[in-house]
Short mmCIF file of all heavy atoms in Angstrom, two decimals:
data_model
loop_
_atom_site.label_atom_id
_atom_site.label_comp_id
_atom_site.label_asym_id
_atom_site.label_seq_id
_atom_site.Cartn_x
_atom_site.Cartn_y
_atom_site.Cartn_z
N MET W 1 -43.91 -37.55 -24.87
CA MET W 1 -43.89 -37.76 -26.32
C MET W 1 -42.81 -36.90 -26.98
O MET W 1 -42.61 -35.75 -26.62
CB MET W 1 -45.26 -37.39 -26.91
CG MET W 1 -45.50 -38.00 -28.29
SD MET W 1 -46.88 -37.16 -29.11
CE MET W 1 -46.09 -36.65 -30.62
N MET W 2 -42.14 -37.47 -27.91
CA MET W 2 -41.05 -36.78 -28.57
C MET W 2 -41.58 -35.85 -29.65
O MET W 2 -42.34 -36.25 -30.52
CB MET W 2 -40.12 -37.81 -29.20
CG MET W 2 -38.71 -37.27 -29.42
SD MET W 2 -37.75 -38.41 -30.45
CE MET W 2 -36.38 -38.75 -29.36
N LYS W 3 -41.16 -34.61 -29.58
CA LYS W 3 -41.60 -33.63 -30.56
C LYS W 3 -40.50 -33.44 -31.59
O LYS W 3 -39.33 -33.22 -31.26
CB LYS W 3 -41.88 -32.31 -29.84
CG LYS W 3 -42.28 -31.16 -30.75
CD LYS W 3 -42.20 -29.84 -29.97
CE LYS W 3 -42.14 -28.65 -30.91
NZ LYS W 3 -40.84 -28.49 -31.56
N HIS W 4 -40.88 -33.55 -32.84
CA HIS W 4 -39.91 -33.36 -33.92
C HIS W 4 -39.73 -31.87 -34.21
O HIS W 4 -40.64 -31.06 -34.00
CB HIS W 4 -40.35 -34.08 -35.17
CG HIS W 4 -40.15 -35.56 -35.09
ND1 HIS W 4 -38.93 -36.12 -34.84
CD2 HIS W 4 -41.04 -36.56 -35.21
CE1 HIS W 4 -39.06 -37.43 -34.82
NE2 HIS W 4 -40.34 -37.72 -35.02
N TYR W 5 -38.58 -31.55 -34.75
CA TYR W 5 -38.32 -30.17 -35.10
C TYR W 5 -38.75 -29.89 -36.53
O TYR W 5 -38.67 -30.76 -37.38
CB TYR W 5 -36.83 -29.86 -34.95
CG TYR W 5 -36.42 -29.71 -33.49
CD1 TYR W 5 -36.04 -30.83 -32.77
CD2 TYR W 5 -36.46 -28.48 -32.87
CE1 TYR W 5 -35.67 -30.72 -31.44
CE2 TYR W 5 -36.11 -28.36 -31.55
CZ TYR W 5 -35.72 -29.47 -30.83
OH TYR W 5 -35.37 -29.35 -29.52
N THR W 6 -39.17 -28.65 -36.77
CA THR W 6 -39.54 -28.27 -38.14
C THR W 6 -38.29 -27.76 -38.84
O THR W 6 -37.27 -27.48 -38.21
CB THR W 6 -40.58 -27.12 -38.13
OG1 THR W 6 -39.98 -25.97 -37.53
CG2 THR W 6 -41.83 -27.52 -37.38
N LYS W 7 -38.38 -27.64 -40.13
CA LYS W 7 -37.27 -27.14 -40.94
C LYS W 7 -36.87 -25.74 -40.47
O LYS W 7 -35.69 -25.41 -40.40
CB LYS W 7 -37.72 -27.08 -42.40
CG LYS W 7 -36.61 -27.33 -43.37
CD LYS W 7 -37.17 -27.54 -44.76
CE LYS W 7 -36.02 -27.75 -45.75
NZ LYS W 7 -36.48 -28.08 -47.08
N GLU W 8 -37.87 -24.93 -40.15
CA GLU W 8 -37.63 -23.56 -39.71
C GLU W 8 -36.84 -23.55 -38.41
O GLU W 8 -35.91 -22.76 -38.24
CB GLU W 8 -38.95 -22.82 -39.51
CG GLU W 8 -39.67 -22.42 -40.78
CD GLU W 8 -40.28 -23.57 -41.54
OE1 GLU W 8 -40.62 -24.59 -40.91
OE2 GLU W 8 -40.40 -23.49 -42.77
N GLU W 9 -37.24 -24.45 -37.49
CA GLU W 9 -36.54 -24.51 -36.20
C GLU W 9 -35.10 -24.98 -36.38
O GLU W 9 -34.17 -24.44 -35.74
CB GLU W 9 -37.29 -25.45 -35.27
CG GLU W 9 -38.57 -24.85 -34.72
CD GLU W 9 -39.43 -25.86 -33.97
OE1 GLU W 9 -39.48 -27.02 -34.39
OE2 GLU W 9 -40.03 -25.47 -32.97
N LEU W 10 -34.93 -25.95 -37.26
CA LEU W 10 -33.58 -26.46 -37.50
C LEU W 10 -32.70 -25.39 -38.17
O LEU W 10 -31.49 -25.30 -37.91
CB LEU W 10 -33.63 -27.71 -38.37
CG LEU W 10 -34.19 -28.95 -37.68
CD1 LEU W 10 -34.35 -30.08 -38.66
CD2 LEU W 10 -33.33 -29.37 -36.52
N GLU W 11 -33.35 -24.57 -38.98
CA GLU W 11 -32.63 -23.47 -39.62
C GLU W 11 -32.14 -22.48 -38.56
O GLU W 11 -31.00 -22.01 -38.61
CB GLU W 11 -33.60 -22.78 -40.60
CG GLU W 11 -32.95 -21.75 -41.51
CD GLU W 11 -32.19 -22.39 -42.64
OE1 GLU W 11 -32.84 -22.86 -43.60
OE2 GLU W 11 -30.95 -22.38 -42.59
N LEU W 12 -33.00 -22.17 -37.62
CA LEU W 12 -32.62 -21.27 -36.51
C LEU W 12 -31.48 -21.87 -35.73
O LEU W 12 -30.52 -21.18 -35.36
CB LEU W 12 -33.82 -21.07 -35.57
CG LEU W 12 -34.99 -20.24 -36.09
CD1 LEU W 12 -36.09 -20.19 -35.04
CD2 LEU W 12 -34.56 -18.84 -36.46
N TYR W 13 -31.57 -23.17 -35.48
CA TYR W 13 -30.54 -23.87 -34.72
C TYR W 13 -29.20 -23.78 -35.45
O TYR W 13 -28.17 -23.48 -34.88
CB TYR W 13 -30.94 -25.33 -34.53
CG TYR W 13 -29.84 -26.20 -34.01
CD1 TYR W 13 -29.46 -26.12 -32.66
CD2 TYR W 13 -29.20 -27.12 -34.82
CE1 TYR W 13 -28.44 -26.93 -32.17
CE2 TYR W 13 -28.18 -27.91 -34.34
CZ TYR W 13 -27.82 -27.82 -33.02
OH TYR W 13 -26.80 -28.61 -32.54
N ARG W 14 -29.24 -24.04 -36.73
CA ARG W 14 -28.04 -24.07 -37.54
C ARG W 14 -27.37 -22.70 -37.61
O ARG W 14 -26.16 -22.56 -37.65
CB ARG W 14 -28.40 -24.52 -38.96
CG ARG W 14 -27.33 -25.32 -39.63
CD ARG W 14 -27.89 -25.91 -40.87
NE ARG W 14 -28.56 -24.89 -41.65
CZ ARG W 14 -27.96 -24.18 -42.58
NH1 ARG W 14 -26.73 -24.42 -42.89
NH2 ARG W 14 -28.61 -23.24 -43.23
N ASN W 15 -28.22 -21.65 -37.67
CA ASN W 15 -27.66 -20.30 -37.78
C ASN W 15 -27.35 -19.69 -36.40
O ASN W 15 -26.96 -18.54 -36.33
CB ASN W 15 -28.65 -19.41 -38.54
CG ASN W 15 -28.82 -19.85 -39.96
OD1 ASN W 15 -27.90 -20.35 -40.59
ND2 ASN W 15 -30.03 -19.71 -40.47
N GLY W 16 -27.56 -20.48 -35.37
CA GLY W 16 -27.26 -20.01 -34.02
C GLY W 16 -28.25 -18.96 -33.52
O GLY W 16 -27.93 -18.17 -32.64
N HIS W 17 -29.46 -19.00 -34.06
CA HIS W 17 -30.47 -18.02 -33.64
C HIS W 17 -31.43 -18.58 -32.58
O HIS W 17 -32.45 -17.99 -32.29
CB HIS W 17 -31.28 -17.54 -34.83
CG HIS W 17 -30.46 -16.74 -35.80
ND1 HIS W 17 -30.75 -16.66 -37.13
CD2 HIS W 17 -29.34 -15.99 -35.61
CE1 HIS W 17 -29.85 -15.90 -37.72
NE2 HIS W 17 -28.98 -15.50 -36.84
N MET W 18 -31.07 -19.73 -32.03
CA MET W 18 -31.90 -20.32 -31.01
C MET W 18 -31.34 -19.95 -29.62
O MET W 18 -30.13 -19.73 -29.49
CB MET W 18 -31.83 -21.85 -31.16
CG MET W 18 -33.16 -22.50 -31.35
SD MET W 18 -32.93 -24.27 -31.56
CE MET W 18 -34.46 -24.64 -32.40
N SER W 19 -32.21 -19.91 -28.64
CA SER W 19 -31.72 -19.66 -27.28
C SER W 19 -30.87 -20.84 -26.85
O SER W 19 -31.00 -21.94 -27.38
CB SER W 19 -32.91 -19.49 -26.33
OG SER W 19 -33.53 -20.72 -26.13
N VAL W 20 -29.97 -20.57 -25.93
CA VAL W 20 -29.03 -21.62 -25.49
C VAL W 20 -29.78 -22.88 -25.05
O VAL W 20 -29.41 -23.99 -25.42
CB VAL W 20 -28.15 -21.09 -24.34
CG1 VAL W 20 -27.21 -22.18 -23.83
CG2 VAL W 20 -27.34 -19.90 -24.82
N LEU W 21 -30.83 -22.68 -24.30
CA LEU W 21 -31.58 -23.82 -23.77
C LEU W 21 -32.21 -24.64 -24.90
O LEU W 21 -32.13 -25.86 -24.92
CB LEU W 21 -32.66 -23.30 -22.82
CG LEU W 21 -33.04 -24.26 -21.68
CD1 LEU W 21 -31.86 -24.45 -20.73
CD2 LEU W 21 -34.23 -23.71 -20.92
N SER W 22 -32.80 -23.93 -25.86
CA SER W 22 -33.41 -24.64 -27.00
C SER W 22 -32.37 -25.35 -27.81
O SER W 22 -32.59 -26.43 -28.34
CB SER W 22 -34.13 -23.64 -27.90
OG SER W 22 -35.04 -22.88 -27.19
N ARG W 23 -31.19 -24.74 -27.88
CA ARG W 23 -30.11 -25.30 -28.67
C ARG W 23 -29.64 -26.61 -28.07
O ARG W 23 -29.37 -27.59 -28.77
CB ARG W 23 -28.95 -24.30 -28.73
CG ARG W 23 -28.21 -24.38 -30.04
CD ARG W 23 -27.69 -23.03 -30.44
NE ARG W 23 -26.69 -22.53 -29.53
CZ ARG W 23 -26.35 -21.25 -29.44
NH1 ARG W 23 -26.93 -20.37 -30.21
NH2 ARG W 23 -25.42 -20.85 -28.62
N ILE W 24 -29.55 -26.63 -26.74
CA ILE W 24 -29.15 -27.85 -26.06
C ILE W 24 -30.17 -28.95 -26.31
O ILE W 24 -29.81 -30.07 -26.64
CB ILE W 24 -28.98 -27.59 -24.53
CG1 ILE W 24 -27.80 -26.68 -24.29
CG2 ILE W 24 -28.81 -28.89 -23.77
CD1 ILE W 24 -27.72 -26.10 -22.88
N GLY W 25 -31.43 -28.60 -26.21
CA GLY W 25 -32.49 -29.57 -26.45
C GLY W 25 -32.46 -30.08 -27.87
O GLY W 25 -32.62 -31.27 -28.12
N CYS W 26 -32.22 -29.17 -28.80
CA CYS W 26 -32.19 -29.53 -30.22
C CYS W 26 -31.02 -30.45 -30.53
O CYS W 26 -31.18 -31.45 -31.23
CB CYS W 26 -32.12 -28.26 -31.06
SG CYS W 26 -32.42 -28.53 -32.80
N SER W 27 -29.85 -30.11 -30.00
CA SER W 27 -28.68 -30.94 -30.31
C SER W 27 -28.83 -32.32 -29.68
O SER W 27 -28.41 -33.34 -30.25
CB SER W 27 -27.39 -30.26 -29.90
OG SER W 27 -27.11 -30.48 -28.54
N ALA W 28 -29.46 -32.37 -28.53
CA ALA W 28 -29.72 -33.66 -27.88
C ALA W 28 -30.69 -34.49 -28.71
O ALA W 28 -30.51 -35.68 -28.90
CB ALA W 28 -30.28 -33.46 -26.48
N HIS W 29 -31.70 -33.81 -29.25
CA HIS W 29 -32.69 -34.47 -30.09
C HIS W 29 -32.05 -34.99 -31.37
O HIS W 29 -32.29 -36.11 -31.80
CB HIS W 29 -33.84 -33.51 -30.38
CG HIS W 29 -34.93 -34.12 -31.20
ND1 HIS W 29 -35.95 -34.84 -30.64
CD2 HIS W 29 -35.13 -34.17 -32.53
CE1 HIS W 29 -36.74 -35.28 -31.60
NE2 HIS W 29 -36.27 -34.89 -32.77
N LEU W 30 -31.23 -34.16 -31.98
CA LEU W 30 -30.56 -34.55 -33.22
C LEU W 30 -29.67 -35.77 -33.01
O LEU W 30 -29.47 -36.57 -33.92
CB LEU W 30 -29.71 -33.39 -33.76
CG LEU W 30 -30.48 -32.29 -34.50
CD1 LEU W 30 -29.57 -31.13 -34.83
CD2 LEU W 30 -31.11 -32.79 -35.77
N GLY W 31 -29.15 -35.89 -31.80
CA GLY W 31 -28.29 -37.02 -31.51
C GLY W 31 -29.04 -38.34 -31.45
O GLY W 31 -28.44 -39.41 -31.61
N THR W 32 -30.36 -38.27 -31.27
CA THR W 32 -31.13 -39.50 -31.13
C THR W 32 -32.16 -39.69 -32.24
O THR W 32 -32.69 -40.77 -32.40
CB THR W 32 -31.87 -39.51 -29.78
OG1 THR W 32 -32.68 -38.33 -29.71
CG2 THR W 32 -30.91 -39.52 -28.60
N CYS W 33 -32.47 -38.63 -32.97
CA CYS W 33 -33.56 -38.72 -33.96
C CYS W 33 -33.01 -38.70 -35.38
O CYS W 33 -32.43 -37.72 -35.83
CB CYS W 33 -34.52 -37.57 -33.74
SG CYS W 33 -35.87 -37.58 -34.93
N LYS W 34 -33.26 -39.81 -36.08
CA LYS W 34 -32.80 -39.91 -37.48
C LYS W 34 -33.59 -39.00 -38.39
O LYS W 34 -33.05 -38.44 -39.34
CB LYS W 34 -32.94 -41.36 -37.95
CG LYS W 34 -31.85 -42.27 -37.46
CD LYS W 34 -31.79 -43.53 -38.33
CE LYS W 34 -30.59 -44.39 -37.94
NZ LYS W 34 -30.90 -45.31 -36.84
N THR W 35 -34.87 -38.85 -38.11
CA THR W 35 -35.76 -38.02 -38.94
C THR W 35 -35.26 -36.58 -38.99
O THR W 35 -35.12 -35.99 -40.06
CB THR W 35 -37.20 -38.06 -38.41
OG1 THR W 35 -37.56 -39.40 -38.18
CG2 THR W 35 -38.17 -37.43 -39.38
N CYS W 36 -35.00 -36.03 -37.82
CA CYS W 36 -34.58 -34.64 -37.75
C CYS W 36 -33.16 -34.48 -38.25
O CYS W 36 -32.83 -33.44 -38.84
CB CYS W 36 -34.71 -34.10 -36.32
SG CYS W 36 -36.44 -33.92 -35.84
N THR W 37 -32.31 -35.48 -38.03
CA THR W 37 -30.94 -35.42 -38.55
C THR W 37 -30.95 -35.37 -40.06
O THR W 37 -30.21 -34.62 -40.68
CB THR W 37 -30.12 -36.64 -38.06
OG1 THR W 37 -30.16 -36.66 -36.64
CG2 THR W 37 -28.68 -36.53 -38.51
N ALA W 38 -31.84 -36.17 -40.67
CA ALA W 38 -31.94 -36.18 -42.13
C ALA W 38 -32.39 -34.81 -42.63
O ALA W 38 -31.86 -34.30 -43.64
CB ALA W 38 -32.93 -37.26 -42.56
N LEU W 39 -33.35 -34.23 -41.95
CA LEU W 39 -33.86 -32.91 -42.34
C LEU W 39 -32.75 -31.87 -42.18
O LEU W 39 -32.58 -30.97 -43.04
CB LEU W 39 -35.05 -32.55 -41.43
CG LEU W 39 -35.92 -31.39 -41.87
CD1 LEU W 39 -36.57 -31.65 -43.21
CD2 LEU W 39 -37.00 -31.13 -40.82
N PHE W 40 -32.00 -32.00 -41.11
CA PHE W 40 -30.90 -31.08 -40.85
C PHE W 40 -29.84 -31.18 -41.93
O PHE W 40 -29.33 -30.17 -42.41
CB PHE W 40 -30.31 -31.44 -39.47
CG PHE W 40 -29.30 -30.46 -38.96
CD1 PHE W 40 -29.66 -29.15 -38.69
CD2 PHE W 40 -28.00 -30.85 -38.74
CE1 PHE W 40 -28.73 -28.25 -38.23
CE2 PHE W 40 -27.05 -29.95 -38.26
CZ PHE W 40 -27.42 -28.65 -38.00
N ASN W 41 -29.53 -32.40 -42.34
CA ASN W 41 -28.54 -32.59 -43.41
C ASN W 41 -29.05 -32.03 -44.73
O ASN W 41 -28.26 -31.54 -45.55
CB ASN W 41 -28.22 -34.07 -43.58
CG ASN W 41 -27.38 -34.58 -42.44
OD1 ASN W 41 -26.64 -33.83 -41.81
ND2 ASN W 41 -27.49 -35.87 -42.15
N GLU W 42 -30.36 -32.13 -44.92
CA GLU W 42 -30.97 -31.58 -46.13
C GLU W 42 -30.72 -30.08 -46.19
O GLU W 42 -30.39 -29.53 -47.26
CB GLU W 42 -32.48 -31.85 -46.05
CG GLU W 42 -33.14 -32.13 -47.36
CD GLU W 42 -34.60 -32.49 -47.13
OE1 GLU W 42 -34.88 -33.65 -46.78
OE2 GLU W 42 -35.43 -31.59 -47.28
N LEU W 43 -30.89 -29.42 -45.07
CA LEU W 43 -30.64 -27.97 -45.00
C LEU W 43 -29.20 -27.68 -45.36
O LEU W 43 -28.90 -26.72 -46.08
CB LEU W 43 -30.92 -27.46 -43.58
CG LEU W 43 -32.36 -27.34 -43.13
CD1 LEU W 43 -32.41 -26.90 -41.70
CD2 LEU W 43 -33.10 -26.36 -44.00
N LYS W 44 -28.29 -28.48 -44.85
CA LYS W 44 -26.88 -28.25 -45.12
C LYS W 44 -26.58 -28.43 -46.60
O LYS W 44 -25.79 -27.70 -47.17
CB LYS W 44 -26.01 -29.22 -44.28
CG LYS W 44 -25.86 -28.74 -42.86
CD LYS W 44 -24.67 -29.39 -42.17
CE LYS W 44 -24.92 -30.82 -41.84
NZ LYS W 44 -23.96 -31.36 -40.88
N ASN W 45 -27.23 -29.44 -47.20
CA ASN W 45 -27.01 -29.68 -48.64
C ASN W 45 -27.54 -28.53 -49.48
O ASN W 45 -26.93 -28.14 -50.45
CB ASN W 45 -27.71 -30.98 -49.06
CG ASN W 45 -26.98 -32.19 -48.52
OD1 ASN W 45 -25.82 -32.11 -48.16
ND2 ASN W 45 -27.68 -33.30 -48.44
N GLU W 46 -28.70 -28.00 -49.08
CA GLU W 46 -29.28 -26.86 -49.78
C GLU W 46 -28.31 -25.69 -49.73
O GLU W 46 -28.10 -24.99 -50.71
CB GLU W 46 -30.60 -26.44 -49.14
CG GLU W 46 -31.78 -27.24 -49.64
CD GLU W 46 -33.06 -26.88 -48.90
OE1 GLU W 46 -33.18 -25.76 -48.40
OE2 GLU W 46 -33.92 -27.76 -48.84
N ASP W 47 -27.71 -25.52 -48.58
CA ASP W 47 -26.76 -24.44 -48.37
C ASP W 47 -25.56 -24.58 -49.28
O ASP W 47 -25.10 -23.63 -49.87
CB ASP W 47 -26.27 -24.49 -46.92
CG ASP W 47 -26.67 -23.25 -46.17
OD1 ASP W 47 -27.77 -22.77 -46.43
OD2 ASP W 47 -25.88 -22.81 -45.34
N GLN W 48 -25.08 -25.81 -49.34
CA GLN W 48 -23.93 -26.09 -50.16
C GLN W 48 -24.24 -25.80 -51.62
O GLN W 48 -23.43 -25.23 -52.34
CB GLN W 48 -23.56 -27.55 -50.00
CG GLN W 48 -22.10 -27.81 -50.28
CD GLN W 48 -21.71 -29.23 -49.96
OE1 GLN W 48 -22.50 -30.02 -49.47
NE2 GLN W 48 -20.48 -29.57 -50.28
N PHE W 49 -25.45 -26.17 -52.03
CA PHE W 49 -25.87 -25.93 -53.40
C PHE W 49 -25.89 -24.44 -53.68
O PHE W 49 -25.38 -23.98 -54.70
CB PHE W 49 -27.26 -26.55 -53.61
CG PHE W 49 -27.87 -26.19 -54.93
CD1 PHE W 49 -27.38 -26.77 -56.09
CD2 PHE W 49 -28.91 -25.30 -55.01
CE1 PHE W 49 -27.92 -26.43 -57.32
CE2 PHE W 49 -29.46 -24.97 -56.23
CZ PHE W 49 -28.97 -25.53 -57.39
N LEU W 50 -26.45 -23.67 -52.75
CA LEU W 50 -26.52 -22.23 -52.93
C LEU W 50 -25.12 -21.61 -52.97
O LEU W 50 -24.86 -20.71 -53.75
CB LEU W 50 -27.32 -21.60 -51.78
CG LEU W 50 -28.84 -21.79 -51.85
CD1 LEU W 50 -29.51 -21.18 -50.62
CD2 LEU W 50 -29.40 -21.16 -53.11
N ALA W 51 -24.24 -22.13 -52.13
CA ALA W 51 -22.87 -21.62 -52.09
C ALA W 51 -22.17 -21.89 -53.42
O ALA W 51 -21.47 -21.03 -53.95
CB ALA W 51 -22.11 -22.26 -50.95
N GLU W 52 -22.38 -23.07 -53.96
CA GLU W 52 -21.77 -23.42 -55.24
C GLU W 52 -22.32 -22.55 -56.37
O GLU W 52 -21.60 -22.12 -57.24
CB GLU W 52 -22.03 -24.90 -55.56
CG GLU W 52 -21.04 -25.82 -54.88
CD GLU W 52 -21.46 -27.25 -54.91
OE1 GLU W 52 -22.30 -27.64 -55.76
OE2 GLU W 52 -20.95 -28.03 -54.09
N LEU W 53 -23.62 -22.30 -56.27
CA LEU W 53 -24.26 -21.46 -57.26
C LEU W 53 -23.69 -20.06 -57.23
O LEU W 53 -23.38 -19.47 -58.26
CB LEU W 53 -25.77 -21.41 -56.95
CG LEU W 53 -26.70 -21.09 -58.09
CD1 LEU W 53 -26.68 -22.18 -59.13
CD2 LEU W 53 -28.13 -20.89 -57.59
N ARG W 54 -23.51 -19.55 -56.01
CA ARG W 54 -22.94 -18.22 -55.84
C ARG W 54 -21.52 -18.17 -56.42
O ARG W 54 -21.15 -17.20 -57.07
CB ARG W 54 -22.90 -17.86 -54.35
CG ARG W 54 -23.95 -16.82 -53.98
CD ARG W 54 -23.68 -16.24 -52.64
NE ARG W 54 -23.60 -17.26 -51.60
CZ ARG W 54 -24.63 -17.65 -50.86
NH1 ARG W 54 -25.79 -17.11 -51.02
NH2 ARG W 54 -24.49 -18.56 -49.95
N THR W 55 -20.75 -19.20 -56.16
CA THR W 55 -19.38 -19.25 -56.65
C THR W 55 -19.36 -19.24 -58.17
O THR W 55 -18.56 -18.52 -58.79
CB THR W 55 -18.66 -20.51 -56.12
OG1 THR W 55 -18.83 -20.56 -54.72
CG2 THR W 55 -17.18 -20.47 -56.44
N SER W 56 -20.26 -20.01 -58.79
CA SER W 56 -20.30 -20.05 -60.25
C SER W 56 -20.65 -18.69 -60.82
O SER W 56 -20.08 -18.25 -61.81
CB SER W 56 -21.35 -21.06 -60.74
OG SER W 56 -21.36 -22.18 -59.95
N VAL W 57 -21.59 -18.02 -60.20
CA VAL W 57 -21.99 -16.70 -60.65
C VAL W 57 -20.83 -15.72 -60.54
O VAL W 57 -20.56 -14.95 -61.46
CB VAL W 57 -23.22 -16.17 -59.86
CG1 VAL W 57 -23.49 -14.71 -60.15
CG2 VAL W 57 -24.45 -16.99 -60.22
N GLN W 58 -20.11 -15.79 -59.44
CA GLN W 58 -18.96 -14.91 -59.23
C GLN W 58 -17.89 -15.17 -60.28
O GLN W 58 -17.33 -14.23 -60.84
CB GLN W 58 -18.38 -15.12 -57.84
CG GLN W 58 -19.06 -14.24 -56.79
CD GLN W 58 -18.77 -14.69 -55.38
OE1 GLN W 58 -17.95 -15.57 -55.17
NE2 GLN W 58 -19.46 -14.09 -54.43
N LEU W 59 -17.63 -16.45 -60.56
CA LEU W 59 -16.64 -16.81 -61.56
C LEU W 59 -17.04 -16.27 -62.90
O LEU W 59 -16.22 -15.74 -63.65
CB LEU W 59 -16.50 -18.33 -61.63
CG LEU W 59 -15.59 -18.99 -60.60
CD1 LEU W 59 -15.65 -20.49 -60.72
CD2 LEU W 59 -14.16 -18.49 -60.75
N TYR W 60 -18.33 -16.40 -63.19
CA TYR W 60 -18.84 -15.94 -64.48
C TYR W 60 -18.66 -14.43 -64.61
O TYR W 60 -18.19 -13.93 -65.63
CB TYR W 60 -20.32 -16.34 -64.59
CG TYR W 60 -20.99 -15.83 -65.84
CD1 TYR W 60 -20.73 -16.43 -67.07
CD2 TYR W 60 -21.87 -14.76 -65.79
CE1 TYR W 60 -21.32 -15.96 -68.22
CE2 TYR W 60 -22.48 -14.28 -66.93
CZ TYR W 60 -22.20 -14.89 -68.14
OH TYR W 60 -22.80 -14.43 -69.28
N GLN W 61 -19.05 -13.73 -63.54
CA GLN W 61 -18.93 -12.27 -63.58
C GLN W 61 -17.47 -11.84 -63.70
O GLN W 61 -17.14 -10.90 -64.42
CB GLN W 61 -19.55 -11.67 -62.29
CG GLN W 61 -21.06 -11.70 -62.35
CD GLN W 61 -21.68 -11.33 -61.03
OE1 GLN W 61 -21.03 -11.36 -59.98
NE2 GLN W 61 -22.96 -10.99 -61.06
N HIS W 62 -16.61 -12.57 -63.01
CA HIS W 62 -15.18 -12.28 -63.08
C HIS W 62 -14.69 -12.44 -64.50
O HIS W 62 -13.94 -11.63 -65.03
CB HIS W 62 -14.46 -13.23 -62.13
CG HIS W 62 -13.01 -12.93 -62.00
ND1 HIS W 62 -12.54 -11.80 -61.36
CD2 HIS W 62 -11.90 -13.60 -62.42
CE1 HIS W 62 -11.23 -11.79 -61.42
NE2 HIS W 62 -10.79 -12.87 -62.04
N GLN W 63 -15.13 -13.52 -65.09
CA GLN W 63 -14.77 -13.81 -66.49
C GLN W 63 -15.23 -12.71 -67.42
O GLN W 63 -14.50 -12.28 -68.29
CB GLN W 63 -15.43 -15.16 -66.88
CG GLN W 63 -14.69 -15.92 -67.96
CD GLN W 63 -13.41 -16.53 -67.43
OE1 GLN W 63 -13.36 -16.98 -66.31
NE2 GLN W 63 -12.37 -16.51 -68.22
N GLN W 64 -16.47 -12.26 -67.18
CA GLN W 64 -17.05 -11.20 -68.02
C GLN W 64 -16.25 -9.92 -67.92
O GLN W 64 -16.00 -9.25 -68.91
CB GLN W 64 -18.48 -10.92 -67.58
CG GLN W 64 -19.48 -12.03 -67.85
CD GLN W 64 -19.71 -12.25 -69.35
OE1 GLN W 64 -19.16 -13.15 -69.93
NE2 GLN W 64 -20.51 -11.38 -69.94
N ARG W 65 -15.81 -9.62 -66.68
CA ARG W 65 -15.03 -8.41 -66.47
C ARG W 65 -13.71 -8.47 -67.20
O ARG W 65 -13.25 -7.51 -67.78
CB ARG W 65 -14.80 -8.21 -64.97
CG ARG W 65 -15.87 -7.35 -64.31
CD ARG W 65 -15.40 -6.78 -62.99
NE ARG W 65 -15.17 -7.85 -62.02
CZ ARG W 65 -16.12 -8.34 -61.22
NH1 ARG W 65 -17.36 -7.86 -61.29
NH2 ARG W 65 -15.87 -9.29 -60.39
N LYS W 66 -13.13 -9.68 -67.18
CA LYS W 66 -11.84 -9.85 -67.88
C LYS W 66 -12.01 -9.66 -69.39
O LYS W 66 -11.17 -9.08 -70.04
CB LYS W 66 -11.29 -11.27 -67.58
CG LYS W 66 -10.36 -11.28 -66.40
CD LYS W 66 -9.37 -12.43 -66.43
CE LYS W 66 -10.05 -13.77 -66.41
NZ LYS W 66 -9.21 -14.84 -65.96
N GLU W 67 -13.15 -10.15 -69.87
CA GLU W 67 -13.44 -10.04 -71.30
C GLU W 67 -13.52 -8.58 -71.74
O GLU W 67 -12.98 -8.20 -72.74
CB GLU W 67 -14.77 -10.77 -71.63
CG GLU W 67 -14.71 -12.26 -71.55
CD GLU W 67 -13.81 -12.87 -72.63
OE1 GLU W 67 -13.86 -12.39 -73.77
OE2 GLU W 67 -13.07 -13.82 -72.31
N THR W 68 -14.21 -7.78 -70.94
CA THR W 68 -14.45 -6.38 -71.30
C THR W 68 -13.16 -5.56 -71.11
O THR W 68 -13.01 -4.50 -71.70
CB THR W 68 -15.58 -5.76 -70.50
OG1 THR W 68 -15.40 -6.07 -69.12
CG2 THR W 68 -16.93 -6.29 -70.95
N ALA W 69 -12.25 -6.06 -70.26
CA ALA W 69 -11.01 -5.31 -69.97
C ALA W 69 -10.00 -5.42 -71.13
O ALA W 69 -9.11 -4.61 -71.22
CB ALA W 69 -10.39 -5.82 -68.69
N LYS W 70 -10.24 -6.39 -71.96
CA LYS W 70 -9.28 -6.62 -73.05
C LYS W 70 -9.25 -5.49 -74.08
O LYS W 70 -10.28 -4.89 -74.35
CB LYS W 70 -9.68 -7.93 -73.77
CG LYS W 70 -8.76 -9.06 -73.37
CD LYS W 70 -9.17 -10.32 -74.14
CE LYS W 70 -8.99 -11.55 -73.26
NZ LYS W 70 -9.71 -12.70 -73.82
ZN1 LIG A 101 -37.07 -35.63 -34.43
#
């Protein structure tokens, strides 16, 4: 029976915190399972969102610093 991966497990996989053997199994599973691939992409999108958020905050802070330097 095929076991699906949890979000937590996929997170470990993505961050390279999985053992080599588990990683091989996971990447093989992702190659055949649409459900887990969708979940995996979801994690990547969340990451992108957080990265964009961080960039906006940095831009804002940078702007603020420029304002006070005047
Ligand atoms: Zn799966």
Side-chain angles (χ1 to χ4, degrees):
M1 200 196 124
M2 203 191 237
K3 177 194 161 286
H4 285 302
Y5 285 88
T6 63
K7 211 169 179 175
E8 286 72 28
E9 285 171 322
L10 290 174
E11 189 77 75
L12 290 178
Y13 169 74
R14 214 169 49 91
N15 296 326
H17 294 153
M18 237 179 202
S19 71
V20 177
L21 210 65
S22 306
R23 213 146 66 199
I24 292 167
C26 192
S27 85
H29 182 85
L30 282 173
T32 56
C33 179
K34 282 199 174 87
T35 311
C36 290
T37 303
L39 194 62
F40 188 63
N41 287 334
E42 215 175 279
L43 286 177
K44 280 200 287 195
N45 289 339
E46 275 175 26
D47 244 37
Q48 206 174 356
F49 172 73
L50 285 177
E52 277 166 20
L53 204 66
R54 253 195 304 267
T55 308
S56 321
V57 169
Q58 273 164 8
L59 278 175
Y60 176 75
Q61 285 171 342
H62 186 69
Q63 207 72 37
Q64 291 293 101
R65 269 199 294 273
K66 268 204 298 202
E67 289 294 319
T68 47
K70 257 182 216 163

